[in-house]
Amino acid sequence: MSQSLTQTIRGTVVDRVSQTPLPGSSVILLGTDPLVGTTTDPEGNFKLTQVPIGSHTIRITFIGYKDMMLPNVIVNSGKEVVLSILLEEDILHLEELVISAETNIEKNKPLNEMAVVSARTFSVEETRKFAAAVNDPARMVSSYAGVVSTSDGNNSISIRGNSPVGLLWRMEGVDIPNPNHFANVATSGGGISILSSQLLANSDFLTGAFPAEFGNALAGVFDLNLRKGNNEKREYTVQAGFLGTDIAAEGPFSKNYRGSYLINYRYSTLSVLSKVGVNIGDAITNFQDLSYNIYLPTKNLGNFSLFGFGGLSDQTQDAKKDSSQWEEEFSRYNSRYFSNTGAAGIKHAMTLSTRTYVQSAVVFSGNDNGYEEFRLDDNYEDVFSYRQNHINKKITASAVLQHKINARHSLRSGVYYNKYFFNLRQRDFNRETNEIEQPLNASGNAQTVQAFTQWNYRVTDRLTVNSGIHFLSLFDNQTYSVEPRASVKYDLPAQQSISVGYGLHGQLQPLGVYQAEATRVDGTRYQPNQDLEMNKAHHFVTGYDRAVSKHMRIKAETYYQHLYNIAVAADPTSTRSTLVNEDGYITDPLVNQGRGRNYGLELTLEHFMHHQLYFLLSASFYQSEYKALDQVWRNTRFNGNHAITFTGGKEYLWKKNRTFGINIRTIYTGGFRYTPVDITRSQMAGETRYIESLAFTQQLPDYFRTDLRISLKRNRTRSTTTLALDIQNTTNHKNLGGQYFEVRSGEIKKWYQLPLLPILSYRIEF
């Protein structure tokens, strides 16, 4: 590799808990001769110039703190590398310190020091490297143990057998609406992420027994952090591909001000894929999005940030007015769909003392989701079938205080207030009764409050204890949940550790569920679900982690989740439960008398990037069951019983300043459960009906898919270009997605998930 191309590495070094700068920290670039290094200034900033392009390891040290090792820092010629480094104070007194060659190289260690079980950090580099992840965090984490994609057509995920509804999205410490295009209401996934990887910094992903600061979630948490724009140099990124065109810009406002801006815009027309021979259906599909992070520091009043995102997505399908071309019933339907989502916030962060840090934020967010469907009759006239238009808005105000009592003890406490505004409309045509029904017609507002406090106690250098409590209340029906949380981690000799975690977790029903309407015998309308309580779950987790070498680790976790107080259909003969719902508002009358249980074992073998090679092998063996009012334990839809994923890649230095990369991901999971079709009822209704008494008694065949990513990166004097081809389902394996009743033929037909799907992209950074 040529040494003529260089770039700058710079950043800040701060205390992990109090966020105060650590001036005088030593920052060393290992493997250089003579050794290249520097120290941080009074504000904790450092800069290393003329760093050769390639992969580097950086060592950071500060007296009284544990050493930090950052391996695989990728330096390209197109953009500067800006790092935010958190050092952990050593609880040993100086006179007790022993010089050791060991340093903190736990690449997977969560950024949140109070998350010691079922949590790991992920980086932007991972979202870019993983085959067919297409810079989407939700698609990338399906490589992790315990995480299974629910469909090829979207990025919804099931964590440890839970419904995707149980996932919480957070950004900059505040809950945000589902940040995905083509997302239905009351779900956590969609077609593709609105958030650009251009804006994301290293973030945490949690799958169980969360710390006390996280609430209103049963399954998992995406705790996303945004990076600041370069405040010394203007930089740009342009990426063009079949999924659209991204344009990002970042830089300082002026030479004498340390503030910065970072903005990304993307526009896409998925219908372009069909023009190159990829079958994505007959609909016209479009989306576009904008995301930004503006950093505004002050001298004495702390630091302000303006951040947010917005996404527009729509899909239109027009039926051909020629009955000879109606191969199936859905061919005669006209449909219009849109999903618009956004959030805009202002955050203020301030260091009150060397031990106290406070952060507050106000966020305005909302989504507007609509769908309408008309069926062409034999005269090619539109006949109403279904319409929904759901508008949800929210104002969130939060304040979080973090205080380090001393090296052993730290506290974090906070409060969140949410004000919801909603306008929900849903009408559909019931073919069995030949009537139009309106199960949802409501507008109004609602309020929730959340508060938490948690304590981190480092008993010894090896033993850490976390405890806390979370409070969640819905004012409108006066329901609340008090949720204790606790975890313990003990470091054993030979780079081993064991951990135990517990948490009680509650989750509100989606707003539309509370507002559902039903009709009494006397014909009057009422809202049967107004007084519903929260779904709840006890999480128990035990884990073992061992570093096999400096670059490889193994991890095992076993867990049990006891779900109770679950909202299920009030009908004793019904099998309907919110635990098996993936999206949308359930408008049936519900009661909090359901149960559920998830338990399993997860194994991970991970080799971090070393000598341009990495791999991740994960395996999950699990059981996921639920019980409705019929008192029968059943499989949930997501109970595939096993999931094995291999993800890996290798980079080759090729010619001058070029890097050739090949990445692969192979997924093998048990099939999801499904309910058999009731042919007789379907024929009478003219649409698919199921045998509810046999809910989820059938299982789809095992799912298998191999994804491939091939890339060529080239560094030039002032730019870096990357040409990449992502191929989803390289072998074109036909994975059965489910069954449905086809009206025109009167038969049960099968539908399959996505075939081979190539996505070509070209990226330039300068």
Side-chain angles (χ1 to χ4, degrees):
M1 180 181 65
S2 172
Q3 297 297 311
S4 60
L5 297 181
T6 63
Q7 188 53 273
T8 297
I9 299 178
R10 60 187 185 85
T12 57
V13 181
V14 300
D15 181 279
R16 185 180 183 93
V17 178
S18 68
Q19 302 291 305
T20 54
L22 298 178
S25 299
S26 175
V27 182
I28 304 296
L29 192 67
L30 299 184
T32 54
D33 186 18
L35 205 62
V36 174
T38 187
T39 57
T40 56
D41 65 16
E43 296 180 349
N45 299 312
F46 70 90
K47 179 183 287 188
L48 298 170
T49 60
Q50 301 296 308
V51 177
I53 63 170
S55 178
H56 296 276
T57 299
I58 301 176
R59 181 171 180 171
I60 306 96
T61 60
F62 186 68
I63 296 176
Y65 283 72
K66 293 183 177 181
D67 291 0
M68 169 70 75
M69 190 86 79
L70 291 181
N72 304 312
V73 177
I74 305 300
V75 178
N76 294 316
S77 59
K79 298 183 73 172
E80 291 185 347
V81 178
V82 182
L83 303 171
S84 295
I85 299 168
L86 309 176
L87 289 189
E88 183 177 353
E89 190 172 1
D90 200 316
I91 65 173
L92 299 177
H93 296 295
L94 288 178
E95 61 269 20
E96 297 174 339
L97 287 176
V98 178
I99 302 299
S100 170
E102 292 186 5
T103 54
N104 181 8
I105 56 171
E106 298 177 78
K107 183 179 182 294
N108 62 295
K109 184 176 181 179
L111 300 174
N112 190 325
E113 74 280 1
M114 298 192 184
V116 299
V117 297
S118 302
R120 65 164 295 154
T121 187
F122 67 91
S123 68
V124 175
E125 282 298 318
E126 287 178 307
T127 62
R128 291 176 180 169
K129 278 189 171 69
F130 282 17
V134 292
N135 297 329
D136 187 336
R139 294 181 189 272
M140 183 268 295
V141 298
S142 62
S143 292
Y144 296 159
V147 184
V148 177
S149 172
T150 63
S151 172
D152 286 351
N154 59 49
N155 61 11
S156 292
I157 54 175
S158 171
I159 301 172
R160 293 179 170 174
N162 286 287
S163 165
V165 177
L167 177 65
L168 170 69
W169 288 92
R170 300 228 310 180
M171 175 185 285
E172 294 292 283
V174 182
D175 296 2
I176 59 172
N178 177 5
N180 289 290
H181 288 293
F182 308 105
N184 202 353
V185 292
T187 186
S188 62
I192 190 170
S193 176
I194 293 174
L195 302 175
S196 168
S197 63
Q198 294 294 327
L199 267 77
L200 293 180
N202 287 1
S203 304
D204 283 347
F205 178 62
L206 303 92
T207 58
F210 328 125
E213 65 191 89
F214 303 107
N216 200 22
L218 293 187
V221 178
F222 268 110
D223 190 15
L224 303 176
N225 297 311
L226 301 180
R227 72 176 182 89
K228 302 179 182 69
N230 193 325
N231 61 4
E232 293 186 2
K233 178 184 177 183
R234 287 185 171 83
E235 297 177 331
Y236 305 91
T237 301
V238 178
Q239 178 167 305
F242 287 149
L243 287 182
T245 300
D246 286 73
I247 301 174
E250 61 182 287
F253 292 103
S254 71
K255 293 182 178 179
N256 301 319
Y257 181 54
R258 298 195 64 81
S260 65
Y261 62 87
L262 173 58
I263 302 173
N264 187 90
Y265 173 75
R266 174 173 55 178
Y267 179 80
S268 177
T269 303
L270 283 179
S271 55
V272 171
L273 287 174
S274 63
K275 297 179 181 179
V276 294
V278 179
N279 181 18
I280 60 170
D282 298 326
I284 299 174
T285 303
N286 304 285
F287 69 87
Q288 58 182 310
D289 52 62
L290 175 72
S291 47
Y292 61 92
N293 187 27
I294 300 173
Y295 178 58
L296 304 169
T298 69
K299 286 186 177 180
N300 301 314
L301 299 178
N303 303 320
F304 292 86
S305 296
L306 304 177
F307 65 93
F309 66 89
L312 307 176
S313 51
D314 63 82
Q315 187 175 72
T316 301
Q317 179 166 311
D318 293 324
K320 297 177 181 178
K321 293 185 177 182
D322 181 356
S323 59
S324 65
Q325 297 189 44
W326 296 345
E327 296 181 359
E328 294 190 335
E329 178 66 13
F330 66 80
S331 301
R332 66 190 299 170
Y333 279 83
N334 291 322
S335 64
R336 305 286 187 274
Y337 164 86
F338 66 87
S339 177
N340 304 326
T341 303
I346 179 171
K347 183 182 75 171
H348 175 251
M350 189 171 186
T351 300
L352 302 180
S353 70
T354 57
R355 296 185 178 275
T356 306
Y357 176 81
V358 63
Q359 176 177 300
S360 56
V362 176
V363 178
F364 300 86
S365 62
N367 57 70
D368 185 2
N369 183 284
Y371 178 74
E372 63 178 9
E373 187 178 79
F374 293 86
R375 180 178 182 270
L376 290 186
D377 63 17
D378 293 339
N379 296 318
Y380 304 125
E381 298 292 331
D382 280 340
V383 177
F384 174 80
S385 177
Y386 181 86
R387 178 182 289 123
Q388 72 174 41
N389 191 189
H390 302 314
I391 300 174
N392 289 281
K393 301 176 183 178
K394 183 174 69 167
I395 300 175
T396 300
S398 70
V400 176
L401 179 72
Q402 193 157 296
H403 179 67
K404 183 167 69 171
I405 301 171
N406 53 42
R408 293 183 183 274
H409 302 271
S410 64
L411 294 171
R412 185 182 302 152
S413 301
V415 61
Y416 304 90
Y417 171 77
N418 298 290
K419 179 79 171 183
Y420 299 85
F421 304 89
F422 56 86
N423 192 331
L424 312 175
R425 302 287 184 267
Q426 183 175 322
R427 301 173 72 229
D428 60 83
F429 179 70
N430 188 326
R431 290 194 177 186
E432 291 182 295
T433 62
N434 206 34
E435 295 179 348
I436 294 178
E437 299 175 344
Q438 186 163 312
L440 198 52
N441 182 20
S443 61
N445 60 77
Q447 302 175 75
T448 65
V449 66
Q450 293 171 259
F452 75 91
T453 186
Q454 53 192 22
W455 170 44
N456 175 257
Y457 176 30
R458 298 166 64 196
V459 183
T460 69
D461 196 41
R462 293 186 179 275
L463 178 62
T464 300
V465 177
N466 297 288
S467 61
I469 192 165
H470 188 96
F471 174 80
L472 170 61
S473 175
L474 174 62
F475 290 173
D476 299 75
N477 66 5
Q478 299 181 340
T479 60
Y480 66 90
S481 178
V482 179
E483 304 166 8
R485 316 280 176 84
S487 62
V488 177
K489 181 182 178 183
Y490 185 72
D491 292 325
L492 299 167
Q495 306 253 344
Q496 304 175 86
S497 68
I498 56 174
S499 55
V500 178
Y502 162 76
L504 173 60
H505 305 275
Q507 184 174 28
L508 297 165
Q509 312 299 334
L511 285 179
V513 174
Y514 296 105
Q515 303 301 321
E517 294 185 351
T519 304
R520 294 188 178 95
V521 177
D522 61 4
T524 59
R525 301 282 285 175
Y526 75 110
Q527 294 179 320
N529 298 331
Q530 273 194 326
D531 296 324
L532 274 179
E533 298 179 5
M534 304 174 201
N535 289 352
K536 293 188 176 183
H538 293 287
H539 286 196
F540 303 89
V541 181
T542 301
Y544 170 77
D545 200 316
R546 177 168 185 169
V548 180
S549 69
K550 290 183 178 180
H551 312 287
M552 185 181 297
R553 73 177 184 109
I554 56 173
K555 182 177 182 180
E557 276 197 342
T558 182
Y559 64 89
Y560 181 82
Q561 298 177 351
H562 171 66
L563 298 97
Y564 68 101
N565 213 52
I566 304 302
V568 296
D571 181 359
T573 65
S574 175
T575 63
R576 190 153 201 186
S577 168
T578 51
L579 292 183
V580 293
N581 196 52
E582 288 191 73
D583 58 26
Y585 298 133
I586 296 179
T587 55
D588 298 344
L590 303 173
V591 293
N592 291 104
Q593 296 180 26
R595 294 287 186 272
R597 57 193 180 199
N598 303 318
Y599 53 92
L601 171 67
E602 298 170 356
L603 304 171
T604 300
L605 173 64
E606 185 164 12
H607 181 279
F608 303 115
M609 180 70 81
H610 183 57
H611 293 316
Q612 286 73 52
L613 171 70
Y614 77 94
F615 66 80
L616 170 63
L617 177 63
S618 64
S620 307
F621 306 94
Y622 64 100
Q623 190 74 12
S624 176
E625 300 171 313
Y626 80 100
K627 181 168 65 175
L629 280 192
D630 65 351
Q631 299 303 307
V632 177
W633 280 104
R634 302 177 182 277
N635 294 300
T636 69
R637 162 171 155 70
F638 316 102
N639 191 19
N641 297 126
H642 66 268
I644 301 172
T645 304
F646 175 82
T647 305
K650 172 71 175 175
E651 293 184 344
Y652 300 90
L653 303 180
W654 179 57
K655 294 186 178 181
K656 184 179 180 180
N657 301 324
R658 292 175 174 86
T659 302
F660 175 76
I662 183 166
N663 298 267
I664 190 171
R665 177 165 63 175
T666 297
I667 302 172
Y668 175 68
T669 67
F672 279 1
R673 311 287 172 154
Y674 69 96
T675 302
V677 174
D678 188 327
I679 297 180
T680 302
R681 285 189 59 215
S682 297
Q683 290 173 337
M684 293 176 61
E687 59 187 16
T688 306
R689 292 289 188 269
Y690 298 95
I691 306 175
E692 190 172 0
S693 62
L694 298 179
F696 306 109
T697 56
Q698 306 296 312
Q699 186 173 19
L700 295 171
D702 287 354
Y703 176 95
F704 176 80
R705 192 182 90 206
T706 297
D707 303 328
L708 182 67
R709 174 180 172 84
I710 301 172
S711 64
L712 178 62
K713 181 175 69 176
R714 182 177 181 181
N715 282 291
R716 293 181 171 88
T717 304
R718 294 183 180 179
S719 66
T720 301
T721 61
T722 304
L723 177 65
L725 175 64
D726 282 273
I727 305 176
Q728 180 174 302
N729 195 7
T730 307
T731 63
N732 202 29
H733 186 79
K734 295 184 69 174
N735 289 300
L736 182 62
Q739 299 179 343
Y740 65 97
F741 176 76
E742 213 299 294
V743 176
R744 296 179 69 82
S745 66
E747 300 175 344
I748 296 176
K749 291 196 173 184
K750 299 177 180 179
W751 64 271
Y752 292 87
Q753 303 214 49
L754 289 179
L756 183 149
L757 179 62
I759 301 174
L760 185 67
S761 64
Y762 180 76
R763 174 189 180 92
I764 179 170
E765 301 170 294
F766 59 98

